[in-house]
């Protein structure tokens, strides 16, 4: 199940953390959090998130990046899933 809930990932880091908080209310559900106009945009942000280069709410997270076709455009999408609190 994927929800397009977060419209703009190009915002200041503290706002990104606040915007990701709703994802924590539905552990295990994948959310489409951003669309990038380049094939590699989502992959770059995914690596930054996994490596700690960007702020995220505390807990265990999974991230994925996919290239998709929307109409006649090729874009990349960033997905995230909150697994649960750190143990």
């Amino acid at each position: 199940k994927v929800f397009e809930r977060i419209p703009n990932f190009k915002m200041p880091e503290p706002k990104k953390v606040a915007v990701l908080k709703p994802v924590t209310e539905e552990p295990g559900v994948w959310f489409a959090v951003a669309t990038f106009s380049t094939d590699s945009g989502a992959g770059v942000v995914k690596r930054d998130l996994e490596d700690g280069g960007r702020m995220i709410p505390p807990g265990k997270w999974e991230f994925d990046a996919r290239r998709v076709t929307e109409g006649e455009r090729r874009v990349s999408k960033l997905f995230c899933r909150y697994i649960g609190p750190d143990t």
Side-chain angles (χ1 to χ4, degrees):
K1 193 171 181 184
V2 177
F3 298 96
E4 289 278 356
R5 285 220 178 148
I6 303 171
N8 183 358
F9 215 74
K10 296 177 182 176
M11 60 182 74
E13 293 293 325
K15 286 188 179 182
K16 288 180 195 170
V17 173
V19 168
L20 287 174
K21 285 220 183 261
V23 177
T24 64
E25 296 171 9
E26 296 187 55
V29 176
W30 283 101
F31 286 78
V33 295
T35 300
F36 298 83
S37 60
T38 64
D39 280 350
S40 61
V44 169
V45 174
K46 174 186 180 276
R47 284 188 295 280
D48 283 350
L49 289 162
E50 292 173 337
D51 295 341
R54 293 182 185 241
M55 295 170 49
I56 57 173
K60 293 181 183 177
W61 292 82
E62 291 182 346
F63 301 97
D64 195 15
R66 302 276 173 110
R67 289 189 304 257
V68 299
T69 302
E70 289 186 343
E72 296 181 14
R73 296 180 344 161
R74 287 286 289 169
V75 298
S76 59
K77 287 190 173 257
L78 177 67
F79 299 87
C80 74
R81 174 167 66 171
Y82 177 72
I83 303 303
D86 289 321
T87 54

